[in-house]
Amino acid sequence: MQIVFMNRLCRRSGVDGEVFAQLWIGEEEGQWRLGWRDFSGEQETGDSLWYEGGSWNEMLCVYRHELAVKMGEGYRPLIDGVFHEEDNLSSRSQEQLRLQYYSEQYGNEDIFEELCTWRRGKASSERKAPYILASNRLLRMISAFLPRTEEELRQLPGVGEGKASQHGADWLSITAAAEREHDFPLSWVNHAIDEESFVSWHYKQKELKYKKELERLRLRRVLLQGIEEGQGMEQLRVLSGVSRREVLEVVEELEKDGYSAEKLIALELSGVSPEEQNNIWTAYELIGDNFLKPVLYKAYGEPFVPADGLDLYYERLRLIRIRFRREHPAALGVSLLNND
């Protein structure tokens, strides 16, 4: 086996002690191997094989995820840039991460719960997904830094003019009831957090990010294999362990990346009449493929309230949209997750 990458890492143990480890990537006849080796002084104390297989992309995902776990435990590399990412964090991004870290450690839980209650009520009345109004991250920041004015509110990452004018009054009415120990601007945050704890937290965020990427990569592989074997939507749902909606989202991704899902589309549409398929296709030609609900009503008439619900019909729309976009790449629209 040829070693193509190797790095040495160190972690402080106890008062004066240090623990060393070695991370390596090897290749032999198209097969990648990824491993971790622990040392005690000059003696090897353990060897773990993290990955063995033929996919460079999957190996890289495993590498990043497992390395983030180790760095979250306190290991630090002798050679920087071990994640092999294209972009380094800007100073602004670093500042935002520190604000996020502080808010997660020192947020006011009562205020956070009140903000979440506000979001649920607002989302219900406006018929919007809660995350569109405000993310958990933003509500955590508001609960931790307790802005008193719209100007202070706009200093928080994720709050622009639009959100401040739209929801600022509601948020400020909630934060006004709580006492705060610090003021704005938030430059004091850098001195209020423990640097080593922040770094470990940062790598924990990377661990979660790379875990999701790895799960997505493996899901794509499972679905590609299932489609090639001629399995339908329900079989793919059982095989993958995700919902039919998630299966379709990944199928759309695969088509965008150049893979063909035609076997699945043909199978799922085999029971749909040519007339119904033509009506959907014509609707896409007339009004575009960005939004599904107008296409639904154009193809089936309005109002359209089938006894068995709309999910199956939206599936048909999305499957036919894949074919439509294949033939009309210049008109490629945005796939919305919320059937609007």
Side-chain angles (χ1 to χ4, degrees), residues 115-133:
L115 288 166
C116 289
T117 300
W118 165 87
R119 182 175 60 180
R120 284 193 296 271
K122 195 76 169 176
S124 177
S125 64
E126 296 186 1
R127 302 186 67 181
K128 293 180 178 178
Y131 70 87
I132 293 178
L133 299 175

Side-chain angles (χ1 to χ4, degrees), residues 122-163:
K122 195 76 169 176
S124 177
S125 64
E126 296 186 1
R127 302 186 67 181
K128 293 180 178 178
Y131 70 87
I132 293 178
L133 299 175
S135 65
N136 283 343
R137 181 184 305 175
L138 176 56
L139 297 187
R140 283 283 180 198
M141 288 194 185
I142 295 173
S143 75
F145 300 116
L146 301 170
R148 296 286 192 256
T149 66
E150 192 172 302
E151 179 183 357
E152 291 181 348
L153 189 59
R154 289 198 301 271
Q155 293 181 43
L156 299 181
V159 181
E161 293 286 344
K163 279 194 183 295

Side-chain angles (χ1 to χ4, degrees), residues 2 11 42 88 98 100 126 135 139 152 226 317 321:
Q2 180 181 1
R11 176 173 64 86
E42 295 301 321
N88 292 321
R98 291 172 183 274
Q100 181 187 345
E126 296 186 1
S135 65
L139 297 187
E152 291 181 348
L317 294 184
R321 182 169 65 179

Side-chain angles (χ1 to χ4, degrees), residues 3-12 18-25 34-46 50 63 67 70-71 74-84 203:
I3 299 295
V4 298
F5 172 80
M6 185 179 292
N7 202 347
R8 196 172 177 88
L9 298 94
C10 174
R11 176 173 64 86
R12 295 196 62 83
E18 291 181 325
V19 175
F20 292 93
Q22 189 178 74
L23 175 65
W24 54 268
I25 298 174
L34 166 67
W36 174 271
R37 184 171 297 130
D38 287 313
F39 292 93
S40 177
E42 295 301 321
Q43 300 297 316
E44 298 181 18
T45 58
W50 286 351
Y63 166 87
L67 178 58
K70 291 297 185 182
M71 295 185 74
Y75 282 95
R76 297 294 178 262
L78 301 185
I79 301 174
D80 291 331
V82 288
F83 284 102
H84 302 285
Y203 287 122

Side-chain angles (χ1 to χ4, degrees), residues 275-330:
E275 181 182 3
E276 184 177 345
Q277 295 188 47
N278 287 336
N279 288 341
I280 296 171
W281 190 278
T282 301
Y284 281 131
E285 290 180 326
L286 292 174
I287 60 181
D289 63 1
N290 280 358
F291 302 98
L292 292 176
K293 188 175 290 184
V295 173
L296 178 78
Y297 291 146
K298 186 70 174 177
Y300 295 98
E302 187 177 0
F304 179 62
V305 188
D308 52 352
L310 290 172
D311 289 349
L312 181 62
Y313 294 91
Y314 275 119
E315 278 189 11
R316 293 174 185 176
L317 294 184
R318 295 178 75 166
L319 290 168
I320 292 175
R321 182 169 65 179
I322 292 173
R323 282 179 172 172
F324 182 82
R325 287 177 169 177
R326 209 186 289 152
E327 294 192 17
H328 302 80

